[in-house]
Amino acid sequence: MLVLLILHFVAALVAPLLVRWWGPRACYPLALAPAAAFGWALARTPAVHDGGAVVETYPWIGQLGVDLALRLTTLSWLMTLLVGGVGALVLVYSAHYFGRESAGVARFAAVLVAFAGAMLGLVLADDLLLLYVCWELTTIFSYLLIGHSTERRSSRWAAAQALTVTTFGGLAMLVGFIMLGGHAGTYRWSEITAAPLPGGAYLVTAVVLILTGALSKSAVLPFSSWLPVAMAAPTPVSAYLHAAAMVKAGVYLIALLAPVLAAAGPWRPVVVVAGLATMLTGGWAALRQTDLKLLLAYGTVSQLGLIAVAVGAGTPDTALAGVAMLLAHALFKAPLFLVVGIIDHGAGTRDLRELSGLGRRAPLLVTVTVLAAASMAGLPPLVGFVAKEAVLAAFTDRPAVVAVLVVGTALTVAYSARFVWGAFATRPGVEPAVLGRIPASMLAPPALLAAVGLAAGPAAGILDGLLRPYAESFGVVGKDLALWHGLSPALGLSALAVAGGAALFALRGPLAPVLARLHVPVSGNQGYEWLIRRFDRLAMRVTGATQRGSLPQYLGVILVVLVLVPGGAMLATRPWRERIALWDSPVQVVVVAVVTVAAVLAVGARRRLTAMLLVGMTGYGTAMLFVVYGAPDLALTQFLVETATIAVFVLVLRRLPERFSARPRRPKWARRTIGLVVGVVVGGLALTAASARRAPTISAEFPDLAVTHGYGRNVVNVTLVDIRAWDTMGELSVLVVAATGVASLVFQRSRTGPRPRRPERPNRVQRPGHRVWLRGGSTLHERQRSIVLEVVTRLVFHTVVVFSLFLLFAGHNAPGGGFAGGLVASLALAVRYLAGGRYELAEAAPVGAGTVLGAGLFVSIGTGAVALFAGGTVLESARINLWLPVIGDFYLVTSLFFDVGVYLVVVGLVLDILRSLGAEVDRHIEAAGASGGGLRVDGQGERT
């Protein structure tokens, strides 16, 4: 099963490349992924025929007790067949639905295959947390598929609405899962079923939360509004997501949990009432539609309500009828959506008022449509009749429910007939529609599904044997699936529903005014829009009240809350008990005094540059404390970070006023008071955290682990690249995002274009004995050049770069490492920029910062992947013993390559900052004609 999931996501990754080569015809090979899932499930039929299960378990998150637990039972077997079979046919259909010039085909193909993989994971998951992960993946992929036509506002709105509604339901469902799993001590559903359920309000709350997620996913009231709007998606998406896959996830979850939770207090009332109401409102709305696709959409809403009632009622007979209806719905609704796509693709419209005469021009298409629509209406001998009669028979002991089901079924018959009539009838006064030749790859999928629906009706006995094991999980099944049960009450109710539906269709003319007037005063879509507008208005009011554009105000609120909440809790609990040693040596007192004086002077400084330098002194003082405590690695890193920070501040301060703006004395003292109190609180919290430890610190084991597992004596560096490598990986990602954010705020053009090159001076004559120290220096204005700085830069630059490499390679056993080495190399680049301007920076680093960042992240991730493929764990270090002439025996630790990635990311980050806050700001200053503030290029050539 895991192999099938991997196959889907690999196919999704290669889909853009295949589409680039073969165009939409790439959908043919991509269809092999869901087809493989269909074939695999078909081959496992004997294993689940008698109620057995196929189980696979793989370790995933051991600390949380979460495994990749996959389980194939009768219910998931049926859903796998639908997800795989219909998915493969929809991809085959898509090969001709899209043309070579269609936009976004590569994205569509990749996302559709990925969606099929996520849906497959959802139905096979035995762990509830894994099910939730796949659940949200289907939400994300459906958002991308519904919003396929990004240039249309309706598509974007529909995608956002579907995402909002289903995500809200998914989060509620997650809380319910956590409640069930927390009580049972496991998230494996197969184990939760064997454990006693919680009682009282706890169980009621969990059930309501889970049903919120299930009903929202299957568009059951009150969450029905998103599905009709989602018809903005391409027709293949509607045929798959809204007939066989995504909308079935909710009713699948209800069917999965019903054997255990159906007896819980609110389960049956919520599911049955919501389902019946959805069936009626959806069916009535379908009769009012003139768009064939919207007609099917509201019909789908109605049918989902029916399925929810059947699978959620919680009896053996209703369960068997429900899964039969689940199968029948996919077999008739998917081909009808595909037929709409053929009509829209050929005739250019889906409006039944503009369609006429297609029945004579496409007899094969008419045959397919009639078979699928007859199954939807519940006519024999199709599988829809078998399933619908089974549902009516299962509820004969509940007259009120049966009455609503008969009315809903009559509405289904009426809109089924309306669909066939609207698509293929000849209308007087309407110009005949031209359909053109229908490609075989577009007609074959709906024809195959309709044919299976026709064959499954007479084969109801076989179907009963295959689906009965699921129904038996509720108890003894009293009724079976069959095409003919004799003259039974269910048959009479079916005949009554068909007659009522036929009468509704026959009276469509006189009933048209009634249909136009009789509707819900406020539709679900209007309610959703009203709710979104209210949230937007509330957000605007809150933003207007709190976001005043004052950074001191924002920081003040945050810091005051920090003082009141954690600080107040600290004072209330008084967690410190031991005596605190104020210092260990007099040197610490001297350093702290320097830091304190610098901090106080920084608060009162009027010039920005002065304040920045004083703040830098506090950082250097902190580094000195590290030195005093005997932590050279931390001290080196602190020194380098502080130096790099000062360089960045200098670049930023060029665009700010030289002095701080004048402030009233009262707010000034208020800010100083807040700062002082925050310092005291943060210091107290640090002492509290250090003294509150109850268990032995895990860092005590780091020195031994560094040698035995990381093969290095520098505990700090080994911790970063081995013991806590995952943390470092996350920090690298943050650095890449930060660099991208800084550059996007500054660059007015593409930051990936060619680097600025030094202007050529064709008329310049090199004088004998005249040496150029930096090639970019000659481009600067003479007032901004420093020959001494150019000479010193030229002399020390390469030495500093070599020293950075020494720190990189020596850092595993001595102070240094990739982070420190990257900072040293970055400072060398900063000096080159300050000495020679942006053209000199381009000479020093003739490669894009994004390339360096990407290479660093790739190397770091690749190191972890190689360890995994080599049979270890992700980012696990290995020692490789080597021998070289002259050098002799030595060893290499694979974490060095991870450190190389860190080195490159740090260099790329600083390079991006230098190019954005440095070189690009210089270009802005020159373009604005400013007289100072930047390293301006001399437009007249080199000064002599």
Side-chain angles (χ1 to χ4, degrees), residues 5 69-70 115-126 130-131 134-135:
L5 298 179
L70 306 173
F115 174 87
M119 191 68 199
L120 182 63
L122 189 156
V123 300
L124 292 176
D126 186 34
L130 175 61
L131 188 151
C134 295
W135 184 283

Side-chain angles (χ1 to χ4, degrees), residues 526-608:
Q526 290 173 330
Y528 171 81
E529 292 179 358
W530 178 87
L531 190 63
I532 292 298
R533 284 196 299 270
R534 289 296 180 273
F535 270 113
D536 288 343
R537 189 171 301 173
L538 176 62
M540 291 174 61
R541 289 178 178 174
V542 172
T543 302
T546 59
Q547 305 294 311
R548 297 290 186 175
S550 171
L551 184 59
Q553 178 184 342
Y554 301 157
L555 290 176
V557 171
I558 294 172
L559 295 177
V560 168
V561 172
L562 172 67
V563 169
L564 294 178
V565 180
M570 180 180 64
L571 291 176
T573 58
R574 298 179 183 178
W576 53 85
R577 295 289 184 268
E578 300 178 1
R579 178 179 173 274
I580 300 173
L582 297 180
W583 62 79
D584 293 328
S585 69
V587 178
Q588 296 174 349
V589 178
V590 175
V591 174
V592 170
V594 173
V595 170
T596 303
V597 171
V600 171
L601 293 177
V603 172
R606 294 175 177 259
R607 295 177 180 270
R608 297 180 189 272

Side-chain angles (χ1 to χ4, degrees), residues 260-637:
V260 177
L261 299 181
W267 179 279
R268 286 193 177 97
V270 171
V271 173
V272 173
V273 172
L276 292 176
T278 304
M279 184 181 184
L280 291 179
T281 56
W284 186 259
L287 289 177
R288 303 175 62 246
Q289 305 306 313
T290 57
D291 185 315
L292 293 176
K293 199 173 179 183
L294 278 178
L295 188 155
L296 291 179
Y298 282 102
T300 300
V301 170
S302 177
Q303 295 290 314
L304 289 171
L306 171 63
I307 298 172
V309 171
V311 298
T315 68
D317 293 335
T318 60
L320 181 61
V323 290
M325 195 67 216
L326 191 70
L327 171 64
H329 181 262
L331 293 178
F332 61 66
K333 192 55 65 70
L336 289 176
F337 271 116
L338 296 178
V339 166
V340 171
I342 293 173
I343 294 173
D344 190 20
H345 195 268
T349 181
R350 304 190 303 254
D351 194 328
L352 57 82
R353 295 167 299 184
E354 301 175 5
L355 294 171
S356 177
L358 289 183
R360 299 176 181 177
R361 292 176 170 80
L364 272 178
L365 189 63
V366 174
T367 303
V368 171
T369 305
V370 168
L371 286 175
S375 184
M376 181 165 65
L379 299 181
L382 294 135
V383 69
F385 168 77
V386 174
K388 194 73 64 72
E389 188 181 52
V391 171
L392 293 173
F395 285 100
T396 49
D397 58 337
R398 306 181 198 181
V401 176
V402 166
V404 177
L405 291 176
V406 170
V407 174
T409 303
L411 294 174
T412 303
V413 173
Y415 67 69
S416 299
R418 178 177 173 81
F419 178 86
V420 177
W421 168 81
F424 299 105
T426 300
R427 294 173 180 77
V430 178
E431 184 177 350
V434 179
L435 195 58
R437 190 184 68 86
I438 304 174
S441 63
M442 292 185 72
L443 185 59
L448 181 59
L449 290 170
V452 173
L454 175 62
I462 300 174
L463 198 62
D464 179 87
L466 293 172
L467 301 181
R468 183 172 288 265
Y470 165 72
E472 289 175 344
S473 62
F474 292 83
V476 179
V477 182
K479 297 180 174 61
D480 55 0
L481 298 177
L483 184 61
W484 175 251
H485 286 98
L487 298 176
S488 61
L491 181 63
L493 293 172
S494 295
L496 178 62
V498 171
L504 281 174
F505 175 71
L507 297 173
R508 61 186 179 277
L511 288 177
V514 178
L515 290 171
R517 288 194 301 270
L518 189 59
H519 60 83
V520 181
V522 179
S523 68
N525 194 42
Q526 290 173 330
Y528 171 81
E529 292 179 358
W530 178 87
L531 190 63
I532 292 298
R533 284 196 299 270
R534 289 296 180 273
F535 270 113
D536 288 343
R537 189 171 301 173
L538 176 62
M540 291 174 61
R541 289 178 178 174
V542 172
T543 302
T546 59
Q547 305 294 311
R548 297 290 186 175
S550 171
L551 184 59
Q553 178 184 342
Y554 301 157
L555 290 176
V557 171
I558 294 172
L559 295 177
V560 168
V561 172
L562 172 67
V563 169
L564 294 178
V565 180
M570 180 180 64
L571 291 176
T573 58
R574 298 179 183 178
W576 53 85
R577 295 289 184 268
E578 300 178 1
R579 178 179 173 274
I580 300 173
L582 297 180
W583 62 79
D584 293 328
S585 69
V587 178
Q588 296 174 349
V589 178
V590 175
V591 174
V592 170
V594 173
V595 170
T596 303
V597 171
V600 171
L601 293 177
V603 172
R606 294 175 177 259
R607 295 177 180 270
R608 297 180 189 272
L609 183 60
T610 303
M612 181 268 297
L613 293 175
L614 290 170
V615 171
M617 287 184 62
T618 65
Y620 288 127
T622 304
M624 285 302 301
L625 288 176
F626 290 144
V627 172
V628 173
Y629 273 107
D633 223 348
L634 296 178
L636 174 63
T637 303

Side-chain angles (χ1 to χ4, degrees), residues 25-86:
R25 303 301 185 271
C27 292
Y28 290 134
L30 292 175
L32 294 176
F38 176 84
W40 177 86
L42 206 59
R44 296 299 181 276
T45 302
V48 299
H49 181 267
D50 296 323
V54 180
V55 179
E56 290 182 11
T57 305
Y58 304 92
W60 188 20
I61 309 175
Q63 293 86 343
L64 299 179
V66 179
D67 297 326
L68 288 175
L70 306 173
R71 184 180 181 89
L72 183 75
T73 60
T74 299
L75 181 63
S76 54
W77 168 82
L78 173 62
M79 286 298 298
T80 301
L81 290 176
L82 295 180
V83 170
V86 177

